[in-house]
Amino acid sequence: MSVVAQLEHDALDPQLELAELTEQARGDGAIVTFIGLARAESRAGDAVDALVLEHHPTLTRQSLEDIAVACAQRFDVSHVRVVHRCGTVPAGEPIVFAGAASIHRRAAFCAADYLMDRLKTEAVFWKREVGEAGSDWIEPTEADLADRDRWG
Amino acid sequence: MKVRFYGRLADAIGREIELDVRHEAPVGEIRRSLAASHPSAAGALRLSRACVRDIMADDNRLLSANDDLEFLPPVSGG
């Protein structure tokens, strides 16, 4: 069993993260990963140049660890890996890598789904989109909160 | 007392301010005082969690002049 929860200040390389998770998961039967990308368009339809993720000096890293550990305890998984960007992420570039490995695919799917639902609503970041319409803070939607609440 | 803000609150109030707190004061009183002095931030302040020494604090938590207080607007990762 391994749990990785990292706050990444510079570029996030999903291929590298997958390679490391795959190496750890030798003997398992499944890996499920999610890669979140900075959108190039806001909900209002305006062009977005970058997503800026402000973080807290201690609570952000702690929140990533708490979510990853809770995932590992809840599901029948052997490895959980969460890597999350902070700072300025240009549109189209990765914000988050969330992956889980398991003997069985169902547990890995559920674990990745759980990771993202909690990261969207509980990871300690303050996000704002910067683009042609100026700067706009992004907070969890009712749908995000409902997704999170599915897990009890 | 230092009060630190994040996200949209930092935009509205500033990253950090110094408050003159001479007696113990509950978090809720400071929250209301800040909302009164920064009306544009009142809504965000209502929705924000307070945090003292990296632990969430409810509005009844008493603070002394030596405590540092933080206000955290709703968070969102991913």
Side-chain angles (χ1 to χ4, degrees):
Chain A
M1 161 74 75
S2 72
V3 176
V4 172
Q6 286 179 2
L7 179 63
E8 180 62 57
H9 292 256
D10 300 312
L12 163 57
D13 182 349
Q15 306 290 348
L16 183 63
E17 302 303 335
L18 176 58
E20 294 200 13
L21 182 56
T22 305
E23 179 65 26
Q24 288 176 316
R26 284 170 185 263
D28 280 334
I31 294 174
V32 172
T33 64
F34 174 88
I35 300 162
L37 305 174
R39 290 197 184 99
E41 191 174 279
S42 73
R43 287 196 186 107
D46 298 313
V48 172
D49 298 325
L51 187 69
V52 180
L53 293 122
E54 182 185 346
H55 72 287
H56 185 280
T58 54
L59 296 178
T60 299
R61 198 179 300 271
Q62 186 63 54
S63 68
L64 299 179
E65 288 175 8
D66 289 348
I67 292 166
V69 167
C71 177
Q73 291 172 342
R74 180 168 181 146
F75 300 98
D76 183 17
V77 291
S78 49
H79 304 282
V80 172
R81 190 175 195 87
V82 173
V83 184
H84 206 298
R85 274 295 313 271
C86 61
T88 300
V89 181
E93 293 199 3
I95 305 166
V96 62
F97 175 96
S102 173
I103 293 175
H104 305 294
R105 75 179 188 282
R106 184 67 58 205
F109 274 120
C110 288
D113 200 14
Y114 172 90
L115 284 172
M116 285 314 304
D117 284 346
R118 289 200 60 194
L119 287 167
K120 290 290 280 186
T121 52
E122 297 175 34
V124 178
F125 293 96
W126 297 276
K127 300 190 299 194
R128 71 187 154 89
E129 290 175 336
V130 179
E132 66 180 8
S135 177
D136 199 21
W137 291 101
I138 309 297
E139 291 176 354
T141 63
E142 291 298 320
D144 291 334
L145 295 170
D147 285 345
R148 189 267 319 271
D149 291 346
R150 289 182 302 145
W151 303 104
Chain B
M1 173 189 298
K2 282 183 183 156
V3 186
R4 177 169 273 267
F5 304 96
Y6 295 87
R8 64 173 71 242
L9 281 178
D11 277 357
I13 300 176
R15 181 63 61 194
E16 186 176 292
I17 63 171
E18 190 83 30
L19 283 186
D20 187 11
V21 177
R22 291 175 191 174
H23 308 286
E24 283 196 331
V27 166
E29 185 178 311
I30 294 172
R31 189 193 298 272
R32 287 189 292 276
S33 168
L34 287 166
S37 56
H38 300 85
S40 67
L45 275 166
R46 266 197 305 277
L47 296 173
S48 295
R49 290 181 295 171
C51 179
V52 180
R53 296 189 194 128
D54 291 347
I55 296 173
M56 298 307 158
D58 67 27
D59 275 9
N60 296 319
R61 164 74 190 262
L62 288 176
L63 301 169
S64 66
N66 294 329
D67 283 324
D68 286 346
L69 175 62
E70 297 180 302
F71 281 102
L72 281 52
V75 297
S76 179

